[in-house]
């Protein structure tokens, strides 16, 4: 590879490491963009009403059972008065927004600028469509404005949202809300590891495992959300 090719690769590759000058440059000016994302997010999300966030893979094909299940979960949520929030992308997110629109509920999309996801899906209500540059600003909106998380099979991004929520609830930095993992077979290995390593070695407590529920069907997922709020007698202004 020539010096020019190396330089072109250095400039173009989204995965190359940044040097210190790139990290520190324009730090102060970035604050204004960050503030704008929070202001836009708060103003938009304050209008949505009670919603549940549905997370999952951006790679699931439309004829996969997980796609159909996400659509059914979202539809069923609208039947008990919830809207649906997703990351606004394709696959599981698209299925959830599709189910929400089909059920007549709010369909919210919190997108993030990524090289492999070029646009938000077509099932988002346009007044509830937001695109973020910063993952952390986007995650604040998910936690602040969701009355529950339903987590379908997915990758790193799905795990990021799941463990962010678990950490904030565990440390009491946010109020308790229901978290549902859908797909026993998919999540079993992770749950076994949490029990056999983290719990057994003292890194988490037994009660931390009660912060989420493992289910297989749309009815189970939605009923857990419903019963959670009935148990705590929390009014959601439906």
């Amino acid at each position: 590879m020539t010096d020019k090719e190396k330089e072109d690769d250095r400039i173009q590759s989204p995965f190359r490491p940044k040097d210190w000058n790139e990290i520190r440059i324009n730090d102060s000016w970035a604050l204004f963009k960050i503030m704008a994302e929070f202001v836009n997010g708060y103003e938009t999300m304050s209008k949505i009403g009670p919603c549940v966030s549905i997370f999952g893979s951006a790679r699931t094909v439309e004829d996969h059972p997980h796609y159909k299940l996400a659509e059914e979960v979202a539809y069923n949520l609208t039947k008990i008065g919830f809207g649906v929030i997703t990351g606004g992308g394709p696959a599981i997110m698209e299925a959830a927004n599709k189910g929400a629109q089909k059920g007549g509920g709010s369909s919210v999309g919190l997108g993030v600028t990524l090289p492999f996801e070029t646009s938000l899906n077509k099932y988002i209500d346009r007044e509830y469509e937001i695109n973020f540059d910063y993952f952390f600003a986007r995650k604040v909106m998910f936690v602040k404005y969701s009355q529950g998380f339903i987590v379908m099979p997915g990758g790193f991004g799905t795990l990021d949202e799941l463990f962010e929520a678990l950490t904030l609830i565990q440390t009491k930095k946010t109020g308790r809300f229901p978290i549902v993992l859908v797909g026993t077979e998919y999540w079993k290995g992770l749950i076994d590891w949490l029990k056999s390593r983290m719990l057994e070695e003292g890194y988490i407590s037994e009660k931390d495992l009660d912060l989420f529920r493992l289910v297989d069907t749309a009815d189970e997922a939605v009923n857990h959300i419903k019963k959670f709020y009935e148990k705590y007698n929390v009014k959601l202004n439906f």
Side-chain angles (χ1 to χ4, degrees):
M1 183 180 288
T2 67
D3 288 343
K4 184 179 185 307
E5 288 172 333
K6 289 179 181 178
E7 178 63 16
D8 288 344
D9 182 67
R10 189 189 73 80
I11 293 171
Q12 295 173 14
S13 173
F15 301 110
R16 66 176 181 79
K18 291 183 178 180
D19 59 39
W20 173 245
N21 284 332
E22 289 176 296
I23 291 171
R24 68 183 179 85
I25 196 166
N26 292 329
D27 283 352
S28 298
W29 290 108
L31 290 173
F32 292 98
K33 187 173 183 181
I34 293 166
M35 289 170 58
E37 291 205 345
F38 277 112
V39 170
N40 184 39
Y42 287 155
E43 288 187 347
T44 301
M45 299 297 284
S46 65
K47 305 170 186 175
I48 64 174
C51 284
V52 171
S53 288
I54 299 179
F55 302 98
S57 176
R59 306 182 186 190
T60 306
V61 295
E62 190 170 350
D63 60 355
H64 194 286
H66 291 160
Y67 185 103
K68 303 298 182 184
L69 184 56
E71 184 178 345
E72 183 182 0
V73 167
Y75 178 83
N76 288 357
L77 283 168
T78 67
K79 297 300 104 178
I80 62 169
F82 285 104
V84 168
I85 304 171
T86 78
I92 295 297
M93 294 171 279
E94 176 186 286
N97 287 127
K98 183 178 180 180
Q101 278 202 346
K102 184 178 179 181
S106 297
S107 183
V108 183
L110 306 181
V112 65
T113 304
L114 296 172
F116 47 84
E117 289 181 28
T118 57
S119 61
L120 299 180
N121 72 68
K122 64 183 179 181
Y123 299 105
I124 299 166
D125 298 338
R126 293 310 159 202
E127 66 268 34
Y128 300 142
E129 174 183 288
I130 313 175
N131 238 327
F132 293 87
D133 278 324
Y134 296 99
F135 268 110
F136 62 83
R138 179 184 186 234
K139 288 198 292 184
V140 167
M141 302 306 150
F142 278 124
V143 174
K144 180 173 175 57
Y145 293 102
S146 294
Q147 277 67 58
F149 277 17
I150 292 181
V151 189
M152 301 289 297
F156 288 159
T158 302
L159 291 176
D160 180 38
E161 300 292 356
L162 169 61
F163 283 104
E164 171 98 358
L166 290 173
T167 301
L168 291 172
I169 295 172
Q170 180 201 50
T171 57
K172 295 181 171 57
K173 290 299 183 180
T174 190
R176 178 83 183 267
F177 58 83
I179 298 173
V180 183
L181 306 184
V182 182
T184 301
E185 186 61 30
Y186 184 82
W187 295 108
K188 182 179 183 300
L190 174 62
I191 305 306
D192 288 345
W193 181 80
L194 292 177
K195 293 177 179 178
S196 65
R197 301 296 301 201
M198 296 183 76
L199 180 61
E200 288 298 319
E201 296 182 25
Y203 296 115
I204 60 173
S205 66
E206 187 77 41
K207 67 180 181 180
D208 292 331
L209 296 174
D210 295 331
L211 296 179
F212 58 85
R213 176 67 58 87
L214 186 61
V215 305
D216 280 307
T217 70
D219 285 341
E220 288 174 323
V222 174
N223 284 339
H224 178 66
I225 301 286
K226 182 180 179 182
K227 289 178 180 178
F228 178 93
Y229 285 105
E230 289 175 347
K231 175 182 177 180
Y232 288 98
N233 197 31
V234 174
K235 298 185 184 299
L236 293 171
N237 298 319
F238 288 144

